[in-house]
Amino acid sequence: MELRHLRYFLAVADERHFGRAAQRLGLSQPPLTVAIQQLEAEVGAALFLRNSRGVQLTAAGQALVPAAQAAIDQAAQALTAARDAASGQVGRLSVGFAGTMLYRGLPQMLRRFQAEHPRLQLRLRELSSSEQLVELQHARLDAGFAHVAHAPEGLAQLLVSSQPFVACVPAAHALARRRALPLTALAGEPLALVSRSVSPDYHARIVGACQAAGFTPQPLHELQHWLSVVSLVAQGLAVALVPAALQQAALSGAAFVPVKDPHGALPRYETRCLWNPERDLPALGLFLAQVREVAQAG
């Protein structure tokens, strides 16, 4: 049974006249008559009673009207769903992020994206940068915001933000009263930072910057999250070098001081949006357009 035949049938049923139905459909009457005859043959019963004044629905025709309309509506909905999916207007995206992105505009960007694309569902997963790389490579994430110096092979990247590291010290510490301090001022202090397993790149680069300044941090406290690092400092148990955005966490007991770094020993803390460019996911294209807009504005 063709949808075309059902549309023709509904037009005749509505007009109760073959000539008017043909005009409404933009057809000549003979092809319409043939199409109705083909439908009646498929049904196995007459759908209309013809007379000189027009047509009337038979019992079979009356029963077919709601079913035919439902089939037409369902087909239209299916086409709309397919078109929306093809344009990225519906679906679901799984997005990973490292915790510090909560202080770098991620919530605002997500709210705006959801407001502009209300039928797209965003599933957020807080993961370390190394965990995101694994999930992206196994297609368990559609996009991720990771703190990496470059994208691994097979993943595309977009630099979202770049910020300096600052010294984080207990508020009661003498260093907290300084306007700025050299990296050597942290020598001899217990240092806290994210563990090597969570962020091997920045772990190595921070330790390397300290060594370039002439000291190796001892003891070295390794934690799972930057916010945990700041919390440990706030308790007076360590000092740290942390991304500047963590000042927005406003944890009582922690003070933040700019670091004098004339030789560029300290890296910048870079956030990149990563994704697999080979995936056919129109919704991802819309999401990346939003990310690019935010990155350019920043």
Side-chain angles (χ1 to χ4, degrees):
M1 184 177 294
E2 298 182 30
L3 287 175
R4 173 176 61 92
H5 287 168
L6 294 180
R7 284 195 292 269
Y8 292 177
F9 163 74
L10 289 173
V12 177
D14 187 44
E15 296 290 345
R16 302 298 174 97
H17 193 279
F18 272 83
R20 290 195 297 269
Q23 186 176 10
R24 172 172 154 183
L25 293 166
L27 301 172
S28 61
Q29 188 169 329
L32 175 59
T33 300
V34 170
I36 295 299
Q37 289 171 345
Q38 290 172 341
L39 180 60
E40 289 177 324
E42 190 169 357
V43 171
L47 299 174
F48 297 103
L49 295 174
R50 285 88 166 166
N51 56 46
S52 59
R53 295 187 301 276
V55 296
Q56 291 182 330
L57 285 164
T58 63
Q62 291 174 0
L64 184 58
V65 168
Q69 188 62 61
I72 295 295
D73 293 344
Q74 187 174 8
Q77 291 169 7
L79 286 174
T80 299
R83 288 168 181 156
D84 287 346
S87 65
Q89 296 299 324
V90 296
R92 184 172 70 177
L93 287 175
S94 182
V95 178
F97 70 98
T100 51
M101 277 301 294
L102 294 174
Y103 303 103
R104 294 298 293 173
L106 180 63
Q108 295 85 346
M109 183 184 70
L110 294 178
R111 280 198 297 269
R112 178 177 171 182
F113 183 77
Q114 289 278 242
E116 294 178 359
H117 307 282
R119 291 186 294 164
L120 265 175
Q121 295 180 358
L122 287 180
R123 178 175 177 245
L124 302 179
R125 298 178 60 194
E126 183 181 3
L127 299 166
S128 70
S129 296
S130 56
E131 289 171 334
Q132 288 184 64
L133 297 183
V134 173
E135 296 298 281
L136 283 164
Q137 289 166 341
H138 287 85
R140 292 191 290 261
L141 276 183
D142 299 315
F145 291 92
H147 305 301
V148 293
H150 54 80
E153 185 177 353
L155 296 179
Q157 64 175 327
L158 175 65
L159 181 63
V160 176
S161 71
S162 178
Q163 57 182 299
F165 278 88
V166 297
C168 179
V169 300
H173 199 291
L175 293 176
R177 295 188 291 275
R178 303 274 291 273
R179 290 189 175 182
L181 50 86
L183 200 53
T184 52
L186 303 181
E189 299 280 355
L191 188 74
L193 76 164
V194 291
S195 72
R196 185 181 288 104
S197 62
V198 170
S199 185
D201 186 20
Y202 283 106
H203 184 284
R205 293 170 75 181
I206 290 174
V207 172
C210 292
Q211 292 172 337
F215 70 98
T216 298
Q218 292 292 338
L220 190 63
H221 305 301
E222 298 193 12
L223 295 96
Q224 294 296 305
H225 303 282
W226 283 112
L227 200 55
S228 300
V229 170
V230 176
S231 297
L232 191 70
V233 172
Q235 298 301 317
L237 298 176
V239 299
L241 291 162
V242 302
L246 283 170
Q247 297 176 74
Q248 298 177 41
L251 279 180
S252 176
F256 300 87
V257 185
V259 176
K260 298 175 184 176
D261 186 26
H263 303 296
L266 274 176
R268 291 186 68 82
Y269 194 63
E270 296 179 336
T271 303
R272 284 176 164 78
C273 181
L274 306 175
W275 71 95
N276 183 346
E278 298 300 320
R279 297 192 65 190
D280 179 18
L281 199 57
L284 179 59
L286 294 177
F287 183 74
L288 293 174
Q290 179 85 71
V291 175
R292 285 190 181 92
E293 186 176 333
V294 171
Q296 291 168 358

